[in-house]
Amino acid sequence: MFNVSLVQRLQEELKANPGSLPFDEILYCNIGNPQSLGQLPITFFREVLALCDHPTILDKAETQGLFSADSIERAWQILDQIPGRATGAYSHSQGIKGLRDTIAAGIEARDGFPANPNDIFLTDGASPAVHMMMQLLISSEKDGILCPIPQYPLYSASIALHGGSLIPYYLDEETGWGLEVSELKKQLEEARSKGISVRALVVINPGNPTGQVLAEENQRDIVEFCKKEGLVLLADEVYQENIYVPEKKFHSFKKVARSMGYGDNDLCLVSFQSVSKGYHGECGKRGGYMEITGFSPEVREQIYKVASVNLCSNISGQILASLVMSPPKVGDESYESYSAEKDGILESLARRAKTLEDAFNSLEGITCNKAEGAMYLFPRIRLPEKAIKAAEAAKTAPDLFYCRHLLNATGVVVVPGSGFGQVPGTWHFRCTILPQEDKIPAIVSRLTDFHKSFMDEYRD
Amino acid sequence: MRRSVIGGAKRTTTTTCLFLLNHAHHRSLLPPLHHRLDSSSSSSSATALLLLLRRLSSSSSSASSPSPPNMPNPVSVQSINPKVLKCEYAVRGEIVILAQRLQEELKAKPGSLPFDEILYCNIGNPQSLGQLPITFFREVLALCDHPAILDKAEAQGLFSADSIKRAWQILDQIPGRATGAYSHSQGIKGLRDTIAAGIEARDGFPANPNDLFLTDGASPAVHMMMQLLIGSEKDGLLCPIPQYPLYSASIALHGGSLVPYYLDEETGWGLEVSELKKQLKEARSKGITVKALVVINPGNPTGQVLAEENQRAIVEFCKQEGLVLLADEVYQENVYVPEKKFHSFKKVARSMGYGDNDLCLVSFQSVSKGYHGECGKRGGYMEVTGFSPEVREQIYKLASVNLCSNISGQILASLVMSPPKVGDESYESYSAEKDGILKSLARRAKTLEDAFKSLEGITCNKAEGAMYLFPRIKLPEKAIKAAEAAKTAPDLFYCRRLLNATGVVVVPGSGFGQVPGTWHFRCTILPQEDKIPAIVSRLTAFHKSFMDEYRN
């Protein structure tokens, strides 16, 4: 919600008076929206979606020439899982059973532990699933949800909308945004002493905006903590395919819990996944799911009921979720091109993450933790006193002040840290790693020039 | 005179407790008997309520000590949001769950039941019962899904020329032609332009694309408005009885109060402003601030199409009383009788000379109904007029939290509001498909209406529009007693027996609301025409034997 109107005004001015501003295009580094910045969709996925949208063409000769054989085969397989092959009908409120079977199999292949299709609720993106859980767990502002600071503001927004209390726990910037159980305990105790019933712990792994990937040992401590304290573990795992460093790996919290010997009787756990991120970046398709385990049958019934009020999520998104969790395999006709597309995107993301991280770290007064995963950098900027005073005079938060100046000088749109939360007195901004590689040098040089002149102006 | 609209987004614990006390009789608030932690308690509702209240007041102290091994599940029906417990949605409720079980039985043991298939007449889901999608719409969607094929020669052979043209046109309205990107939170601007033009063509009055919010079906838009308007259970919304239970469910979920107004069955489900005034007055006398009036036109489950004069009286009422008019207009293309026509409430208001300064008005539309029946695509919009810029900003903010609705649904909404025109290559086939579906719906509406009327003790108002019949059944005393003995509402009792005997799934009237002491059920008109005779004969046979069993 930052400065939408300012950006729009600049965009309109660029259109109306080209050359009137010190840059020739707005570069949107504010939102995890890969395809808006030139990332292409995965061909195989789009082939299957198109065929499922217009199954009439499946039989035609021309189709063989236009679509890969395995996309046609996959489309038939999916259509056979849809009652009456009616892709325009409301499905089961948890999503088409056959697609849930596929997703469950995909989860099992990923984790090495079984998944039950009846634990899966397909939703229009991960966000509606998060809302459902907040609605379920929050009765009043006496119900608290532990959230990381910094966090993706869907959590703060949905907690506010549902009338609960956000209980912040601070990630440690000094240790690469480390999540300490001692911090969780401290915040939990403080909340309880104020009469708050803390219901759940939100963990975003890989992190947004912070980009860290949790170590497995850390995850075990978190699972133990939730079990002991009777908290629902809400695991936002939408960036599970965005890992850029060889020393880290994604482990789902379910896998971690199961490998500790914890089952459905030990822990309430919800995992959120989305088709918007990863290497597929299909934000506009609105596909995703939550896998819910450990809840009682009565509570499961209530969750089903809430899902049924909106009938079902969009079928294309459901199909896409099943494709993401069960993509082409070795030997499939599309495997090589799929692989090449996927690897190309992920390798490029890793390169851009490093380039931008280095660029930020080279700027005076800015430190930037590595983006081990996800799609963002969250550099910290130590603003000189003069700048802070100028911001106060302009009745603006210092980070917003900096970001506005940055935008006006370079056309680069980033989001001030206060949108995500930060330790009071520190300033950050979130910048995505998503602009195409050929634009990155220009961004880096514009940024560097701007920052130098900003510091020249405000240096103490 | 317009009143401030937002009641604020927070709930208080005291109101939650009061709410529970006032609604303790509602069975869904009570935890199921066998799942209560304290197994020694009696099954009375008072004890259950005490358990709930004790849980609420002690919730802070119970969690502070370290958990012992084998701790009960921290999430129980007692600890979750009571609004979730209160909310009900019968369209996919008990009877449907029963039907699904019977379906599984049929699959496992064919021939074991007195029917060979379950016929789902419970939900407005046309394509699940054999209705085909509109070819042109699906061509455009497929091309927008995989634009790489647009250039290829084979595509010309597979797709109509105007669907290819339309796909290009739409892609050019999407920044970077990126159909996989999040769009503007109100929906792609170019598509909103198209929809606004479609609204203007329909009504004869202009529509502003900035007043449009494209959503994943109409339901999320309804939720958004409920969230905005309801601050607490002191905020009331006038809803028709009978109503589509999304309204009662969303009001419950957002913690508001449903203020019922009764449609008059005797006069074809007439909506009387005198009834509106009466209910409004009563609600206000109880300290309820009534924020809005929900009108479903054409009606669901009742199928009536409002007369224009009636609509003018409703507009006048809302303006006078400072109510937001929430107009559910998703069945606007489903009108089956020549003497009625759909008039949008915006058109009616504008033709009365009322503009943005006179009335807050929201119109909901969906791609799920009409002749297109694209339920699974989740496309729809709300057109929001008359609100102040500050409130509009808040609505935008709510929309932006979920980023945007799905792009395919957005595209479909624009196609529905701007379909092929005379002269377009696809116009004739499109027209034939559309007319075929609408005429068939009209025939099925009539056939089923006559069938219900022919049954002893059943009266049925005509379905002037929408997709449902809502017959009234005068159950004999013996049947009502048998239902009571089975601890079941009489209409559910009848519907269950109907299901078990015939495999036909309908929804008991209590799922929609009805005048107390009357019984109804909602049956869709959607099964394919060739199945209708079988439905009618099974229904007739069942009803006769039911009445033979229970006739006084």
Side-chain angles (χ1 to χ4, degrees), chain B residues 431-448:
Chain B
S431 248
E433 287 174 357
K434 170 183 174 179
D435 291 345
I437 288 167
L438 290 174
K439 288 184 180 138
S440 170
L441 284 168
R443 285 192 298 270
R444 285 177 269 166
K446 189 78 183 68
T447 304
L448 285 168

PDB file of all heavy atoms in Angstrom, chain B residues 431-448:
ATOM      1  N   SER B 431     -25.019 -17.686 -30.499  1.00  0.00           N
ATOM      2  CA  SER B 431     -26.448 -17.435 -30.304  1.00  0.00           C
ATOM      3  C   SER B 431     -27.236 -18.710 -30.157  1.00  0.00           C
ATOM      4  O   SER B 431     -28.113 -18.833 -29.294  1.00  0.00           O
ATOM      5  CB  SER B 431     -27.000 -16.697 -31.522  1.00  0.00           C
ATOM      6  OG  SER B 431     -27.354 -15.413 -31.175  1.00  0.00           O
ATOM      7  N   ALA B 432     -26.912 -19.669 -31.044  1.00  0.00           N
ATOM      8  CA  ALA B 432     -27.634 -20.933 -31.000  1.00  0.00           C
ATOM      9  C   ALA B 432     -27.393 -21.640 -29.671  1.00  0.00           C
ATOM     10  O   ALA B 432     -28.320 -22.165 -29.046  1.00  0.00           O
ATOM     11  CB  ALA B 432     -27.211 -21.822 -32.167  1.00  0.00           C
ATOM     12  N   GLU B 433     -26.131 -21.643 -29.222  1.00  0.00           N
ATOM     13  CA  GLU B 433     -25.808 -22.299 -27.943  1.00  0.00           C
ATOM     14  C   GLU B 433     -26.565 -21.599 -26.809  1.00  0.00           C
ATOM     15  O   GLU B 433     -27.216 -22.254 -25.979  1.00  0.00           O
ATOM     16  CB  GLU B 433     -24.302 -22.249 -27.668  1.00  0.00           C
ATOM     17  CG  GLU B 433     -23.482 -23.189 -28.556  1.00  0.00           C
ATOM     18  CD  GLU B 433     -21.969 -23.033 -28.378  1.00  0.00           C
ATOM     19  OE1 GLU B 433     -21.529 -22.156 -27.606  1.00  0.00           O
ATOM     20  OE2 GLU B 433     -21.219 -23.786 -29.029  1.00  0.00           O
ATOM     21  N   LYS B 434     -26.499 -20.284 -26.810  1.00  0.00           N
ATOM     22  CA  LYS B 434     -27.129 -19.504 -25.727  1.00  0.00           C
ATOM     23  C   LYS B 434     -28.633 -19.719 -25.702  1.00  0.00           C
ATOM     24  O   LYS B 434     -29.225 -20.077 -24.669  1.00  0.00           O
ATOM     25  CB  LYS B 434     -26.806 -18.025 -25.927  1.00  0.00           C
ATOM     26  CG  LYS B 434     -27.587 -17.085 -25.023  1.00  0.00           C
ATOM     27  CD  LYS B 434     -27.275 -15.634 -25.336  1.00  0.00           C
ATOM     28  CE  LYS B 434     -28.197 -14.736 -24.495  1.00  0.00           C
ATOM     29  NZ  LYS B 434     -27.925 -13.310 -24.728  1.00  0.00           N
ATOM     30  N   ASP B 435     -29.277 -19.544 -26.860  1.00  0.00           N
ATOM     31  CA  ASP B 435     -30.734 -19.686 -26.902  1.00  0.00           C
ATOM     32  C   ASP B 435     -31.148 -21.095 -26.550  1.00  0.00           C
ATOM     33  O   ASP B 435     -32.140 -21.306 -25.845  1.00  0.00           O
ATOM     34  CB  ASP B 435     -31.260 -19.323 -28.294  1.00  0.00           C
ATOM     35  CG  ASP B 435     -31.119 -17.840 -28.588  1.00  0.00           C
ATOM     36  OD1 ASP B 435     -30.880 -17.067 -27.632  1.00  0.00           O
ATOM     37  OD2 ASP B 435     -31.217 -17.444 -29.766  1.00  0.00           O
ATOM     38  N   GLY B 436     -30.378 -22.072 -27.055  1.00  0.00           N
ATOM     39  CA  GLY B 436     -30.686 -23.461 -26.745  1.00  0.00           C
ATOM     40  C   GLY B 436     -30.733 -23.704 -25.253  1.00  0.00           C
ATOM     41  O   GLY B 436     -31.676 -24.297 -24.723  1.00  0.00           O
ATOM     42  N   ILE B 437     -29.722 -23.190 -24.569  1.00  0.00           N
ATOM     43  CA  ILE B 437     -29.655 -23.397 -23.123  1.00  0.00           C
ATOM     44  C   ILE B 437     -30.796 -22.678 -22.404  1.00  0.00           C
ATOM     45  O   ILE B 437     -31.489 -23.258 -21.560  1.00  0.00           O
ATOM     46  CB  ILE B 437     -28.279 -22.935 -22.584  1.00  0.00           C
ATOM     47  CG1 ILE B 437     -27.188 -23.936 -23.035  1.00  0.00           C
ATOM     48  CG2 ILE B 437     -28.296 -22.815 -21.069  1.00  0.00           C
ATOM     49  CD1 ILE B 437     -25.780 -23.448 -22.845  1.00  0.00           C
ATOM     50  N   LEU B 438     -31.025 -21.413 -22.760  1.00  0.00           N
ATOM     51  CA  LEU B 438     -32.045 -20.639 -22.051  1.00  0.00           C
ATOM     52  C   LEU B 438     -33.450 -21.187 -22.302  1.00  0.00           C
ATOM     53  O   LEU B 438     -34.276 -21.265 -21.378  1.00  0.00           O
ATOM     54  CB  LEU B 438     -31.967 -19.158 -22.429  1.00  0.00           C
ATOM     55  CG  LEU B 438     -30.725 -18.447 -21.881  1.00  0.00           C
ATOM     56  CD1 LEU B 438     -30.633 -17.017 -22.403  1.00  0.00           C
ATOM     57  CD2 LEU B 438     -30.737 -18.430 -20.355  1.00  0.00           C
ATOM     58  N   LYS B 439     -33.703 -21.604 -23.532  1.00  0.00           N
ATOM     59  CA  LYS B 439     -35.037 -22.149 -23.818  1.00  0.00           C
ATOM     60  C   LYS B 439     -35.232 -23.467 -23.080  1.00  0.00           C
ATOM     61  O   LYS B 439     -36.307 -23.736 -22.531  1.00  0.00           O
ATOM     62  CB  LYS B 439     -35.235 -22.356 -25.326  1.00  0.00           C
ATOM     63  CG  LYS B 439     -35.401 -21.061 -26.074  1.00  0.00           C
ATOM     64  CD  LYS B 439     -35.699 -21.307 -27.557  1.00  0.00           C
ATOM     65  CE  LYS B 439     -35.870 -19.967 -28.270  1.00  0.00           C
ATOM     66  NZ  LYS B 439     -35.213 -19.956 -29.588  1.00  0.00           N
ATOM     67  N   SER B 440     -34.177 -24.248 -23.048  1.00  0.00           N
ATOM     68  CA  SER B 440     -34.273 -25.513 -22.338  1.00  0.00           C
ATOM     69  C   SER B 440     -34.504 -25.284 -20.844  1.00  0.00           C
ATOM     70  O   SER B 440     -35.306 -25.977 -20.216  1.00  0.00           O
ATOM     71  CB  SER B 440     -33.006 -26.332 -22.571  1.00  0.00           C
ATOM     72  OG  SER B 440     -32.989 -27.451 -21.717  1.00  0.00           O
ATOM     73  N   LEU B 441     -33.812 -24.311 -20.286  1.00  0.00           N
ATOM     74  CA  LEU B 441     -34.021 -23.990 -18.871  1.00  0.00           C
ATOM     75  C   LEU B 441     -35.470 -23.593 -18.635  1.00  0.00           C
ATOM     76  O   LEU B 441     -36.101 -24.028 -17.657  1.00  0.00           O
ATOM     77  CB  LEU B 441     -33.079 -22.866 -18.426  1.00  0.00           C
ATOM     78  CG  LEU B 441     -31.614 -23.263 -18.200  1.00  0.00           C
ATOM     79  CD1 LEU B 441     -30.733 -22.020 -18.052  1.00  0.00           C
ATOM     80  CD2 LEU B 441     -31.478 -24.132 -16.950  1.00  0.00           C
ATOM     81  N   ALA B 442     -36.020 -22.778 -19.529  1.00  0.00           N
ATOM     82  CA  ALA B 442     -37.400 -22.337 -19.379  1.00  0.00           C
ATOM     83  C   ALA B 442     -38.357 -23.539 -19.436  1.00  0.00           C
ATOM     84  O   ALA B 442     -39.302 -23.626 -18.644  1.00  0.00           O
ATOM     85  CB  ALA B 442     -37.766 -21.317 -20.457  1.00  0.00           C
ATOM     86  N   ARG B 443     -38.073 -24.472 -20.346  1.00  0.00           N
ATOM     87  CA  ARG B 443     -38.931 -25.656 -20.435  1.00  0.00           C
ATOM     88  C   ARG B 443     -38.846 -26.498 -19.179  1.00  0.00           C
ATOM     89  O   ARG B 443     -39.861 -26.935 -18.638  1.00  0.00           O
ATOM     90  CB  ARG B 443     -38.546 -26.525 -21.650  1.00  0.00           C
ATOM     91  CG  ARG B 443     -38.982 -25.974 -22.998  1.00  0.00           C
ATOM     92  CD  ARG B 443     -38.819 -27.032 -24.092  1.00  0.00           C
ATOM     93  NE  ARG B 443     -37.448 -27.450 -24.280  1.00  0.00           N
ATOM     94  CZ  ARG B 443     -36.583 -26.897 -25.121  1.00  0.00           C
ATOM     95  NH1 ARG B 443     -36.952 -25.854 -25.874  1.00  0.00           N
ATOM     96  NH2 ARG B 443     -35.348 -27.360 -25.242  1.00  0.00           N
ATOM     97  N   ARG B 444     -37.630 -26.704 -18.694  1.00  0.00           N
ATOM     98  CA  ARG B 444     -37.461 -27.531 -17.504  1.00  0.00           C
ATOM     99  C   ARG B 444     -38.098 -26.873 -16.290  1.00  0.00           C
ATOM    100  O   ARG B 444     -38.683 -27.550 -15.438  1.00  0.00           O
ATOM    101  CB  ARG B 444     -35.973 -27.801 -17.257  1.00  0.00           C
ATOM    102  CG  ARG B 444     -35.384 -28.816 -18.210  1.00  0.00           C
ATOM    103  CD  ARG B 444     -33.895 -29.008 -17.980  1.00  0.00           C
ATOM    104  NE  ARG B 444     -33.102 -28.110 -18.804  1.00  0.00           N
ATOM    105  CZ  ARG B 444     -31.808 -27.877 -18.614  1.00  0.00           C
ATOM    106  NH1 ARG B 444     -31.162 -28.452 -17.615  1.00  0.00           N
ATOM    107  NH2 ARG B 444     -31.156 -27.068 -19.426  1.00  0.00           N
ATOM    108  N   ALA B 445     -38.005 -25.543 -16.229  1.00  0.00           N
ATOM    109  CA  ALA B 445     -38.626 -24.826 -15.118  1.00  0.00           C
ATOM    110  C   ALA B 445     -40.125 -25.110 -15.105  1.00  0.00           C
ATOM    111  O   ALA B 445     -40.717 -25.392 -14.060  1.00  0.00           O
ATOM    112  CB  ALA B 445     -38.371 -23.330 -15.239  1.00  0.00           C
ATOM    113  N   LYS B 446     -40.739 -25.074 -16.299  1.00  0.00           N
ATOM    114  CA  LYS B 446     -42.185 -25.270 -16.387  1.00  0.00           C
ATOM    115  C   LYS B 446     -42.560 -26.722 -16.074  1.00  0.00           C
ATOM    116  O   LYS B 446     -43.495 -26.982 -15.316  1.00  0.00           O
ATOM    117  CB  LYS B 446     -42.665 -24.896 -17.808  1.00  0.00           C
ATOM    118  CG  LYS B 446     -44.171 -24.848 -17.964  1.00  0.00           C
ATOM    119  CD  LYS B 446     -44.735 -23.534 -17.366  1.00  0.00           C
ATOM    120  CE  LYS B 446     -46.258 -23.475 -17.422  1.00  0.00           C
ATOM    121  NZ  LYS B 446     -46.919 -24.448 -16.519  1.00  0.00           N
ATOM    122  N   THR B 447     -41.823 -27.661 -16.666  1.00  0.00           N
ATOM    123  CA  THR B 447     -42.138 -29.083 -16.459  1.00  0.00           C
ATOM    124  C   THR B 447     -42.073 -29.458 -14.982  1.00  0.00           C
ATOM    125  O   THR B 447     -42.969 -30.110 -14.443  1.00  0.00           O
ATOM    126  CB  THR B 447     -41.158 -29.968 -17.246  1.00  0.00           C
ATOM    127  OG1 THR B 447     -41.195 -29.588 -18.627  1.00  0.00           O
ATOM    128  CG2 THR B 447     -41.514 -31.440 -17.118  1.00  0.00           C
ATOM    129  N   LEU B 448     -41.004 -29.013 -14.320  1.00  0.00           N
ATOM    130  CA  LEU B 448     -40.850 -29.362 -12.907  1.00  0.00           C
ATOM    131  C   LEU B 448     -41.872 -28.639 -12.045  1.00  0.00           C
ATOM    132  O   LEU B 448     -42.407 -29.216 -11.083  1.00  0.00           O
ATOM    133  CB  LEU B 448     -39.427 -29.070 -12.436  1.00  0.00           C
ATOM    134  CG  LEU B 448     -38.391 -30.097 -12.925  1.00  0.00           C
ATOM    135  CD1 LEU B 448     -36.973 -29.603 -12.685  1.00  0.00           C
ATOM    136  CD2 LEU B 448     -38.596 -31.447 -12.231  1.00  0.00           C
TER     137      LEU B 448
END
